């Protein structure tokens, strides 16, 4: 089993799915000479009709994916940065996500809207924002956020085989840093099944993407102080595996949610609202959040670093609950 | 309902007729289609005023020749995308009046089971990709359908109807440019009915013709008289054949006129009653085509009256069907949101089975 | 004091502010012959340069408002329906809301993005959705949702005088149904001050716009059963008067949030997350939500009605907590 | 750094020179501006490769004549909007190199206090409405600035720079159409540098010239040689005067070439080294303008060398300033989000006072 990076794993998933099903095709800007390597080599292997380079027209990309799905294709549309989806919100949300319902069920729309988000690369405010909470608010949409290379491949395959519009959020930093042995064989990772990355009895830490690593770091630190943290990666926001999270909280009686997105009306709020619904009587302390402090991501590395939740902040949040 | 017997003037207006090799039967089908649109819309208006039908309803009266001419140029398998003013496109693409009327009434027997209504009526089985509540949003969608055909290497064509106001939206630019760069099998039909809601077309369009924008995409731009169904057919046929042959998209501008308000209930402060009366008198596509059919000897006035009678009966039957149909039951509220398992654990068995069907 | 409707009150606010400050101007589609009357008569009074009719170009409207503010004007841009803002997200969120921060503070951007949302008029999925939770997620943006005619006028004036981008969400149904005596004199309603619409000791119900009425109905019903509900209207989501809400919960020990927006990652989740932070030890029952059940709004009146939170549902939610 | 002494060829290339009534001093200022851009960018590249500067950086080398020619046609009070490739626009609009370099280094002394970086550098005091990370987003913004001037009835003009790739975005269509319908005082300058990231311009643009799209808006479309600063100035001056006179916008397309990669670090698989070398040899705007100045007798080669030396010193001083400047302190993280009271109760005293200043 070769050790591959997160971006190579995504590339494997695309190649395998395009080989498996000729209805699957990619479209997007500059995907022939893929900057982060996710679509690398696909143009050479599948040609200009399966790897469609588009003009800088995000609304058209969003709508073209939808229209092609409506006539039986299985498009995988790339938005270079998640913020660019702001130029395609009408096609993605007002059209694609609602179409099946508006049409009385008579539409099957297998669309993957791939994109990338995340802080840590000094891309500043317009190239960093994680908008997963917006899409999670939208009925008809599924939202996926893989953390590991293994999950990246398995979840992308599941997304491509899913018959609904799926927003697939990749993480810029993990592309290169997340590495592990990934089977070059066919496998999928199901939606709606969280992965428990560390077991513990004293507190539950729910993290998304890079924040899973941050949570694990915090857990090590807490362990030294005798606090055993359970770390959970939901992997998919919609559907959300609240059962695994709630059961963990019933055991630990405390929960902290950590994500890079802005705190206000971020996905952490939803996790907390669902946790209090499912495990209120088990809670010994108020569910807490560690997230971007409602600030656009600054360019300066020193400031950007300060805007990203740190292991130290997670430790502090946990200590405040355990104290 | 106004009788459509052509005035003398209309006859002269149609001298030198090009029937594009269409058979008598085909021509009569076109007339019937236009009439089905007209009578359906007239009835929808009455029902709305009698509060027997509700919602945001935009009538196609006066523009019948555009949808009819364009859709007559299509084959089975070809698709169309539409607008908020979509009833005419639906009828021209072959949808049935009864489930359409039921949909406009929000009934369970409607094409969308009452979940869509006038602005979202659709039937993928008929290649009708939906009316659309969002101006110009159908443009990227039809570009996408054309992209799908192109990637698959199949022969279908996608036709997109949109309004003059839609030609000022970013989706117009992105959708047509995208189609032009790949020479996709798409035809973009702008229905320039002289108004975008309350704005006269010239207020928002700094040039004379929407078709002139074809220059920006290196594709043919064609202007046709939207009240002349044969002219629309001719332009559409050429464009559709071109698209099917892999030569890329065409932008057709049909100059037409909206006889009714923007939506039912529009007080129309932005134009005079005289202007509307003048248009109704001089450019009614049905009056015009009726005269042509008689001139060509394809049909007598009596035959046309007979078709009108049949169409009226069909419309009445549709109204009855709609009114007698049940409201969608509460159990339908949470179905059809997703294909397959619902993320909130709500199942949608009916919709899934229908989808599979 | 004349009795005026919500839409007339908004019209008064626009007229008075345009008279007071010539930098204030309106732009939008079809605002000359205003369908709901909010901008009625302004064109006649202020002319084509203060009431600018635009092409159907939402991205341009969003950007034009921003650009004019950047050179010293105070634009009030109208988006006919809130869903149309999906065509302008980049200009509103990626540009307007972030500009001040990205520029190191050296930008003052007094922009009001007016729009209308709300179910109950059979407009179906693409003309109904309330996206306030999206904008509340965005640093740099303020979000206002007036409920009464008095507040509509006072809050719109505050929005126009505010030096930041403000998303001002009006409610379609309230335009005509919300009527009361409104002073034709100059007054403002501050941001960040909730209004307690009914006092009670047993449960706190937080409602937005039409759902305030629904909450009050529910409160009457509950009163008959001896349950005294306190009903709070936050009026502004950003800034949020969490103090008033938390203090109420400390008194009632129970809270239910009611809004028309979709439940998942809706604003209710944020209210709950903040309530547990500020009043956890006072809670006797899990904070609950009554919202749109994550479904696009159906056209059919019967189905649409079922998609809107009802007084009965609010009563049931409260009873579940009090039981 | 490459010396810019003009080859013989360049001299012949510039026969029959139109100096548009610009004084010797004005011409020398233009040369200095172009040189300040060139040397600044060359230094930025070096610093980036030495890891003394970071972020997404897009260089303007090869395109200096466009920003310089256009901004020379402006008055104080006029504004510009820019792109991700914005350093040249900043310098041409009069921003200082030191706070610019500091901003690129993310330092507290930068124009944006390090919060913006290369893609968001701005100075409203200079009428520079910001570089922009989003392609074509500056178009509606400059239309808005022009709208502001129009509503206010003042005389300023807004100039918008954008790329050939940006001309395919919906914002291009909506922004220019909006400005055209109201005849706003705006000038749209497309920098057609032959590539949109990895796509050659012809892949996404189905016509030969972006300027031909002016037809879609009923405004003048002008094509200029983007390596000829005097030609750019001439076209810009005409357009700016026209805009100021209330005659509406103009679309100018400057044909230019990007000498460097799309961003620093671009492996450039989409074009050959020969193609780039050929462009550098044949269409360097500085070599070309240097030759013209000598031909006009405005300056000797020595004078130009002297200016180059001064500019290099200025750039060095900027680098020193940037490197010696402090990182923004943690207290700056949560300031500048709002003007006035922060909804999360976080105060931003520094930024507010600065704003008031
Ligand atoms: C993106 C968007 N903006 C605004 C509207 C509101 N609206 C609905 S129809 C309409 C006018 C459309 O004019 P046109 O495209 O000419 O079509 P017509 O109504 O004349 O058939 C407007 C402004 C909308 N539905 N979508
Ligand atoms: C809306 C949007 N889509 C995509 C990008 C990514 N991107 C940044 S620059 C660029 C190419 C722009 O080409 P052009 O407009 O010709 O400007 P140039 O880089 O050549 O100066 C792309 C695709 C972006 N920043 N914004
Ligand atoms: Mg129209
Ligand atoms: Mg370019």
């Amino acid at each position: 089993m070769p050790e591959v990076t997160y971006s190579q794993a995504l590339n494997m998933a695309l190649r395998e799915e395009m080989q498996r099903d000729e209805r699957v095709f990619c479209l997007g800007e500059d995907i022939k000479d893929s900057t982060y390597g996710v679509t690398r080599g696909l143009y050479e292997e599948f040609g200009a009709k399966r790897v469609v380079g588009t003009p800088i027209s995000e609304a058209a990309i969003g709508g073209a994916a939808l229209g092609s799905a409506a006539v039986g294709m299985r498009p995988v549309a790339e938005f270079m940065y998640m913020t660019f989806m702001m130029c395609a919100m009408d096609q993605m949300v007002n059209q694609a996500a609602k179409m099946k319902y508006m049409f009385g069920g008579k539409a099957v729309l297998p669309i993957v809207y791939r994109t990338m988000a995340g802080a840590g690369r000094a891309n500043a405010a317009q190239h960093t924002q994680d908008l997963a909470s917006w899409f999670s608010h939208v009925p008809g949409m599924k939202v996926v956020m893989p953390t590991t290379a293994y999950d990246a491949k398995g979840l992308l395959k599941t997304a491509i085989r899913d018959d609904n519009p799926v927003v697939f959020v990749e993480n810029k930093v993990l592309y290169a840093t997340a590495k592990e042995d990934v089977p070059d064989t066919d496998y999928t990772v199901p939606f709606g099944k969280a992965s428990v990355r560390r077991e513990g009895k004293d507190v539950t830490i729910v993290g998304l993407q890079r924040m899973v690593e941050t949570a694990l770091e915090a857990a090590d630190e807490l362990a030294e102080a005798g606090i055993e943290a359970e770390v959970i990666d939901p992997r998919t926001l919609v559907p959300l595996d609240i059962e695994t999270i709630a059961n963990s909280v019933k055991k630990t009686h405390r929960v902290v949610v950590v994500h890079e997105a802005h705190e206000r009306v971020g996905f952490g709020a939803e996790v907390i609202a669902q946790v209090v619904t499912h495990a209120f009587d088990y809670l010994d302390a108020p569910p807490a959040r560690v997230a971007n402090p409602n600030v656009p991501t600054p360019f300066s590395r020193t400031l950007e670093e300060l805007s990203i939740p740190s292991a130290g902040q997670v430790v502090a949040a946990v200590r405040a609950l355990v104290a | 309902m106004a009788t459509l017997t052509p005035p003398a003037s209309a006859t002269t207006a149609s001298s030198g007729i090009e029937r594009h090799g269409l058979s008598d039967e085909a021509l009569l089908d076109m007339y019937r289609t236009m009439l089905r649109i007209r009578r359906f819309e007239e009835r929808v208006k009455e029902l709305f005023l009698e509060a027997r039908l509700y919602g945001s309803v935009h009538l196609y009266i006066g523009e019948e020749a555009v949808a009819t001419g364009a859709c007559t140029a299509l084959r089975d398998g070809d698709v169309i995308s539409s607008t908020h003013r979509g009833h005419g496109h639906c009828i021209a693409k072959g949808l049935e009046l009864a489930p359409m009327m039921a949909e406009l009434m929000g009934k369970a027997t409607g094409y969308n089971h009452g979940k869509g209504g006038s602005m979202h009526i659709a039937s993928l089985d008929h290649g009708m990709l939906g009316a659309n509540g969002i101006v110009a949003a159908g443009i990227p969608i039809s570009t996408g359908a054309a992209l799908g055909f192109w990637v698959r290497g199949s022969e279908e064509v996608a036709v997109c109807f949109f309004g003059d106001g839609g030609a000022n939206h970013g989706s117009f630019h992105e959708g047509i440019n995208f189609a032009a760069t790949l020479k996709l099998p798409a035809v973009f039909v702008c229905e320039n009915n002289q108004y975008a809601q309350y704005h006269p077309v010239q207020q928002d369009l700094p040039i004379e013709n929407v078709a002139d924008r074809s220059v920006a995409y290196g594709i043919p731009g064609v202007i046709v008289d939207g009240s002349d169904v044969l002219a629309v057919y001719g332009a559409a046929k050429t464009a559709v054949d071109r698209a099917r042959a892999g030569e890329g998209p065409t932008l057709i501008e049909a100059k037409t006129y909206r006889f009714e308000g923007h939506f039912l209930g529009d007080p129309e402060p932005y134009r005079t009653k005289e202007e509307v009366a003048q248009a109704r008198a001089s450019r009614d596509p049905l009056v015009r085509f009726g005269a042509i059919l008689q001139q060509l000897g394809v049909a007598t006035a009596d035959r046309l009256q007979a078709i009108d009678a049949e169409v009226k009966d069909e419309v009445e039957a549709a109204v009855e069907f709609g009114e007698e149909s049940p409201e969608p039951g509460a159990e339908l509220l949470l179905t059809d949101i997703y294909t397959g398992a619902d993320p909130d654990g709500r199942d949608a068995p009916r919709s899934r089975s229908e989808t599979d069907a």
Side-chain angles (χ1 to χ4, degrees), chain B residues 195-216:
Chain B
Y195 291 91
Q197 190 153 337
Y198 309 150
H199 288 198
V201 59
Q202 295 313 333
Q203 179 177 344
D204 300 332
L205 182 74
I207 56 177
E208 199 181 336
N209 309 301
V210 171
D212 298 341
R213 291 187 165 172
S214 60
V215 171

Side-chain angles (χ1 to χ4, degrees), chain A residues 200-214:
Chain A
K201 57 176 185 22
D202 303 320
V203 63
T204 300
I205 307 177
V206 177
L208 296 176
Q209 293 189 318
R210 267 182 83 205
M211 295 301 103
V212 173
E213 290 172 16
T214 303

Side-chain angles (χ1 to χ4, degrees), chain B residues 18-242:
Chain B
E18 168 56 71
R19 60 187 286 170
H20 303 286
L22 290 161
S23 68
D24 288 9
E25 194 192 353
L27 293 172
L28 281 173
D29 283 348
M30 288 166 82
Y31 183 78
R32 181 183 292 272
T33 298
M34 290 166 67
L35 206 48
R36 289 172 83 227
I37 297 171
R38 173 68 56 93
R39 297 310 188 196
F40 181 87
E41 296 289 64
E42 287 173 339
R43 211 59 192 91
V44 165
K45 181 179 181 178
E46 289 169 359
L47 293 166
F48 185 92
L49 298 177
E50 294 162 15
R52 290 160 64 186
L53 182 148
Y54 58 93
S56 306
V57 182
H58 307 79
L59 301 180
Y60 198 64
I61 295 177
E63 309 183 34
E64 297 87 347
V66 185
T68 305
C71 291
T72 300
L74 299 180
R75 289 187 197 160
D76 286 359
D78 292 339
V79 301
I80 66 168
S81 71
S82 172
T83 69
H84 55 284
R85 198 176 303 286
H87 308 165
H89 306 129
C90 290
I91 294 171
K93 195 66 172 70
L95 275 68
E96 287 163 31
L97 303 190
M100 278 184 65
M101 191 63 83
E103 187 57 36
L104 267 53
M105 293 175 171
K107 298 301 185 78
T109 55
Y111 273 112
N112 313 31
H113 306 306
K115 293 180 174 183
S118 172
M119 282 197 292
H120 306 300
I121 187 162
S123 176
L124 298 185
D125 301 343
H126 290 84
M128 200 290 177
L129 303 185
N132 206 308
I134 303 303
V135 167
I139 300 176
I141 293 172
S142 48
T143 290
L147 176 67
F149 301 144
W150 179 83
V151 171
R152 182 194 295 151
S154 56
E155 283 217 320
E156 300 90 343
V157 171
V159 171
C160 172
F161 295 97
F162 63 98
D164 48 285
N168 299 321
H169 202 274
S171 303
F172 164 92
H173 183 63
E174 292 195 4
I176 296 181
N177 186 62
F178 187 121
T181 56
L182 296 173
K183 291 196 176 300
L184 298 180
V187 176
F188 300 98
V189 180
C190 178
E191 306 181 303
N192 181 347
N193 61 5
Q194 310 309 317
Y195 291 91
Q197 190 153 337
Y198 309 150
H199 288 198
V201 59
Q202 295 313 333
Q203 179 177 344
D204 300 332
L205 182 74
I207 56 177
E208 199 181 336
N209 309 301
V210 171
D212 298 341
R213 291 187 165 172
S214 60
V215 171
Y217 312 108
I219 61 174
V222 183
I223 297 173
V224 286
D225 178 344
S227 66
D228 179 348
V229 70
L230 290 172
V232 174
Y233 170 79
K237 186 75 171 64
T238 306
V240 168
D241 291 348
R242 194 169 182 283

Side-chain angles (χ1 to χ4, degrees), chain A residues 25 27 48-50 52-61 63-68 70-73 90-91 94-95 97 99-109 138-142 162-164 238-240, chain B residues 79 110-113 115-116 120 122 124 129-132 134 136-138 140-141 143-145 147-153 171 174-175 177-178 181-182 332-341 343 350-351 354-355:
Chain A
F25 73 102
L27 67 158
K49 287 201 166 193
R50 300 281 301 282
V52 182
T54 72
I56 306 172
S57 306
E58 286 74 18
I61 292 170
L66 171 57
S68 68
V71 298
M73 302 301 288
D90 180 70
Q91 287 295 337
N94 222 9
Q95 307 293 334
M99 188 176 278
K100 184 184 185 69
Y101 190 81
M102 293 192 298
F103 290 6
K106 297 171 194 157
V108 179
L109 302 167
V138 177
M141 198 74 96
K142 294 186 181 182
D162 194 280
D163 281 332
N164 299 281
V238 182
L240 177 68
Chain B
V79 301
Y111 273 112
N112 313 31
H113 306 306
K115 293 180 174 183
H120 306 300
L124 298 185
L129 303 185
N132 206 308
I134 303 303
I141 293 172
T143 290
L147 176 67
F149 301 144
W150 179 83
V151 171
R152 182 194 295 151
S171 303
E174 292 195 4
N177 186 62
F178 187 121
T181 56
L182 296 173
L332 293 193
L333 177 66
L334 301 183
T335 58
D336 303 328
I337 303 169
Y338 290 88
T339 298
R350 190 191 49 66
S351 66
E354 288 214 2
T355 310

Side-chain angles (χ1 to χ4, degrees), chain A residues 29-30 56 58 80-81 84 87 127:
Chain A
E29 297 155 12
D30 307 289
I56 306 172
E58 286 74 18
M80 208 183 282
Y81 286 82
F84 304 168
C87 298
H127 285 69

Side-chain angles (χ1 to χ4, degrees), chain B residues 24 28 290-304 307:
Chain B
D24 288 9
L28 281 173
I292 288 173
L293 291 176
Q294 292 173 66
Q295 213 185 347
L296 290 171
V298 171
T300 61
D302 293 353
R303 179 82 179 88
L304 299 185
I307 293 176

